[in-house]
């Protein structure tokens, strides 16, 4: 496989952009080797600058759920462009998308559009703090909520329950307001809550963890969190930037039937353009400026081109529930193939799946939280990644990411994927 152009671009980029990329995971650091630079994509395929074609299992980390360059999304964008690309003033499309999101996502009674998932989560906790008059938040080890300071926090040691900065530049002052608990452990949350009585503004969680591989919530876990938050006056925030419009048109909250107080959205919501949103109960959202005192703003928020793409995507998902049946069908087939491959080779790696989210951990232990996810052999994953790439399959360059399928994946492609998976697993265990 020729990678000359990608190599040259990366060499040049490294002198111009930190690490040569505009978001760290793209640099392939967790798997070794150099990133491939993408030229175009269509349907289930992505094509790099050297002309190599790959089957897509990243799909821009989720948004391209209908496959790349979907004609319906492209024409919505093309129709919007001649009317100019930004106004910084209200538009009809913003009203339309708000109405649509509110109709689709159970917890959302009012919604504010922003430009990324990070902006959505940062804003949501500010609003929760303003609403409750409390400072602290609870997050979960291994859950990702974008790069806001309050979320770049690692677990403190021993008896200290407050977090410590997980990145230079995050202050100890910020870290002391973020409490960490292990995923799927209700008792740990109860302990944090009783040690910080009346001090916790919000609990934020990925209702299905997708940023430490795919980790489902255990039975009763989300319900338990809901109960604790209601009892303690804590704002329950589901970060559905990944799960929203993916597990169901109403996201994980519809899938599991547990309604949070606030929801953050991103990825699919923009149809591939930079869009995020946060919403929730009327009473909470009415704290947001200019309705209320909590400040949050954005020059390009609700951008007309981004709204056109988002509306096209959400309208399609709303009108075509069969998309979700198809996504699950495709994922079930891929996962079944992976399991059969493992059986044939006498392997027993853990594969987790919820709807169209799945991944294989290179560990034989059940993976239910960050601790167990970390038992994975990341060196083995790195080799797996490279060998799949050589065979024309583009998967996320980290053990701790979910796979993202699109409806563009056909049965023939599933067979190709299954065959590549078998060959690579076999070579790795020869
Ligand atoms: C991707 C992601 C984010 C961050 O969204 P960006 O648009 O990258 O800022 C936040 N939360 C979750 C759950 C995500 O998967």
């Amino acid at each position: 496989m020729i990678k000359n152009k990608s190599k040259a671009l990366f060499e040049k980029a490294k002198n111009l952009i930190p690490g040569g990329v505009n978001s760290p995971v793209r640099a392939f650091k967790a798997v070794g080797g150099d990133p491939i630079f993408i030229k175009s994509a269509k349907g289930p395929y992505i094509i790099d600058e050297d002309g190599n074609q790959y089957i897509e299992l990243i799909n821009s980390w989720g948004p391209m759920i209908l496959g790349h360059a979907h004609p319906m999304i492209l024409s919505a964008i093309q129709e919007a462009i001649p009317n100019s690309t930004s106004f910084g003033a209200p538009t009809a499309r913003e009203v339309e998308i708000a109405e649509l999101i509110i109709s689709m996502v159970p917890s959302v009674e009012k919604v504010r559009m922003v430009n990324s998932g990070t902006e959505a989560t940062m804003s949501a906790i500010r609003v929760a703090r303003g609403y409750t008059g409390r400072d602290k938040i609870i997050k979960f080890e291994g859950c990702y909520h974008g790069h806001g300071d309050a979320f770049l926090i690692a677990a403190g040691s021993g008896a200290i329950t407050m977090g410590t900065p997980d990145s230079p530049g995050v202050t100890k002052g910020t870290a002391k307001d973020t409490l960490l608990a292990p995923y799927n452990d209700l008792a740990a949350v109860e302990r944090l809550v009783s040690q910080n009585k009346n001090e916790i503004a919000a609990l934020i969680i990925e209702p299905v963890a997708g940023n430490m591989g795919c980790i489902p919530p255990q039975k009763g876990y989300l319900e338990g969190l809901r109960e604790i938050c209601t009892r303690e006056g804590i704002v329950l925030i589901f970060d559905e930037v990944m799960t929203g419009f993916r597990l169901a048109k109403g996201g994980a909250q519809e899938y599991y039937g547990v309604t949070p107080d606030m929801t953050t959205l991103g990825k699919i919501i923009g149809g591939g353009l930079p869009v995020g949103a946060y919403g929730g109960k009327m009473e909470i959202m009415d704290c947001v400026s200019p309705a209320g005192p909590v400040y949050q703003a954005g020059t390009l928020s609700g951008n007309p081109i981004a709204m056109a793409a988002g509306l096209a995507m959400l309208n399609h998902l709303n009108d075509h529930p069969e998309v979700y049946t198809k996504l699950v069908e495709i994922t079930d087939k891929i996962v079944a193939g992976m399991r059969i491959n493992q059986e044939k080779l006498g392997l027993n790696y853990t594969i987790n799946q919820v709807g169209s989210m799945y991944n294989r951990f290179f560990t034989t232990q059940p993976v239910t939280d960050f601790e167990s996810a970390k038992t994975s052999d990341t060196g083995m994953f790195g080799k797996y990644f490279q060998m799949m790439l050589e065979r024309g399959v583009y998967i996320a360059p980290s053990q701790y990411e979910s796979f993202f399928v699109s409806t563009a994946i056909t049965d023939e492609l599933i067979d190709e994927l299954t065959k590549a998976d078998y060959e690579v697993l076999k070579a790795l265990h020869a």
Side-chain angles (χ1 to χ4, degrees), residues 116-118 144-146 206 211 239 241-242 267:
S116 68
T118 294
Y144 180 69
H145 305 294
E206 290 179 74
N211 285 288
D239 181 355
V241 170
M242 189 183 291
K267 300 201 165 104

Side-chain angles (χ1 to χ4, degrees), residues 315-356:
N315 270 321
H316 184 86
L317 296 176
N318 198 33
D319 297 343
H320 296 85
E322 71 275 13
V323 166
Y324 292 103
T325 323
K326 182 146 187 222
L327 280 170
V328 174
E329 229 173 70
I330 291 168
T331 312
D332 284 350
K333 283 182 192 166
I334 293 175
V335 168
M338 288 164 75
R339 290 194 194 281
I340 290 168
N341 289 344
Q342 293 195 165
E343 255 164 55
K344 278 193 207 156
L345 294 163
L347 302 171
N348 192 25
Y349 293 126
T350 297
I351 299 173
N352 284 355
Q353 183 196 354
V354 179
S356 69

Side-chain angles (χ1 to χ4, degrees), residues 54-371:
Y54 309 85
I55 304 174
E56 249 289 47
L57 289 177
I58 301 183
N59 281 299
S60 189
W61 306 90
M64 315 318 285
I65 195 169
L66 306 175
H68 283 279
H70 194 284
M72 177 267 303
I73 306 271
L74 295 191
S75 69
I77 293 170
Q78 275 155 357
E79 268 172 46
I81 282 174
N83 293 324
S84 186
T85 50
S86 184
F87 312 118
T91 62
R93 280 198 202 100
E94 291 168 89
V95 183
E96 202 183 329
I97 202 166
E99 197 170 28
L100 190 55
I101 294 167
I102 290 164
S103 77
M104 291 171 83
V105 186
S107 68
V108 178
E109 296 172 3
K110 265 192 185 172
V111 64
R112 170 60 67 80
M113 304 309 294
V114 291
N115 305 290
S116 68
T118 294
E119 252 189 273
T121 55
M122 282 167 45
S123 308
I125 58 163
R126 182 182 307 139
V127 174
R129 283 168 165 162
Y131 172 73
T132 57
R134 302 172 177 177
D135 289 345
K136 293 182 181 172
I137 63 164
I138 295 178
K139 85 171 278 282
F140 295 87
E141 288 162 25
C143 279
Y144 180 69
H145 305 294
H147 65 83
D149 284 8
F151 306 116
L152 297 182
I153 308 295
S157 56
I160 306 164
T161 54
M162 67 192 181
T164 57
D166 201 22
S167 161
V170 175
T171 65
K172 291 192 200 79
T174 298
K176 79 171 177 30
D177 285 332
T178 300
L179 310 171
L180 274 108
Y183 201 81
N184 274 327
D185 182 349
L186 272 180
V189 173
E190 288 284 18
R191 275 197 300 279
L192 284 180
V193 167
S194 68
Q195 287 162 2
N196 298 273
K197 205 80 186 155
N198 300 321
E199 290 186 88
I200 300 166
L203 181 152
I204 185 166
I205 188 163
E206 290 179 74
V208 175
N211 285 288
M212 47 177 158
C214 171
I215 303 184
Q218 282 168 354
K219 205 170 159 43
Y221 181 58
L222 296 176
E223 290 84 349
L225 293 176
R226 177 65 277 180
E227 264 176 47
I228 293 171
C229 287
T230 304
R231 189 187 74 213
E232 301 290 335
I234 297 169
V235 176
L236 176 62
I237 306 173
F238 278 5
D239 181 355
E240 298 229 39
V241 170
M242 189 183 291
T243 51
F245 311 109
R246 167 167 295 282
L247 291 183
K249 74 184 170 78
Q253 53 199 273
E254 177 188 326
Y255 191 88
Y256 289 104
V258 178
T259 309
D261 302 305
M262 293 185 83
T263 300
T264 54
L265 298 162
K267 300 201 165 104
I268 294 171
I269 198 173
L273 270 75
V275 180
Y278 66 98
K281 283 201 177 119
M282 190 83 74
E283 187 185 45
I284 299 174
M285 291 305 290
D286 278 338
C287 293
V288 179
S289 183
V294 180
Y295 194 70
Q296 190 272 311
T299 302
L300 294 174
S301 294
N303 171 272
I305 312 304
M307 292 303 100
L311 264 175
M313 175 64 88
L314 298 192
N315 270 321
H316 184 86
L317 296 176
N318 198 33
D319 297 343
H320 296 85
E322 71 275 13
V323 166
Y324 292 103
T325 323
K326 182 146 187 222
L327 280 170
V328 174
E329 229 173 70
I330 291 168
T331 312
D332 284 350
K333 283 182 192 166
I334 293 175
V335 168
M338 288 164 75
R339 290 194 194 281
I340 290 168
N341 289 344
Q342 293 195 165
E343 255 164 55
K344 278 193 207 156
L345 294 163
L347 302 171
N348 192 25
Y349 293 126
T350 297
I351 299 173
N352 284 355
Q353 183 196 354
V354 179
S356 69
M357 291 167 69
Y358 71 101
N359 85 313
R360 171 193 281 127
F361 294 92
F362 282 98
T363 178
T364 52
Q365 292 188 26
V367 176
T368 57
D369 59 13
F370 194 44
E371 273 312 296

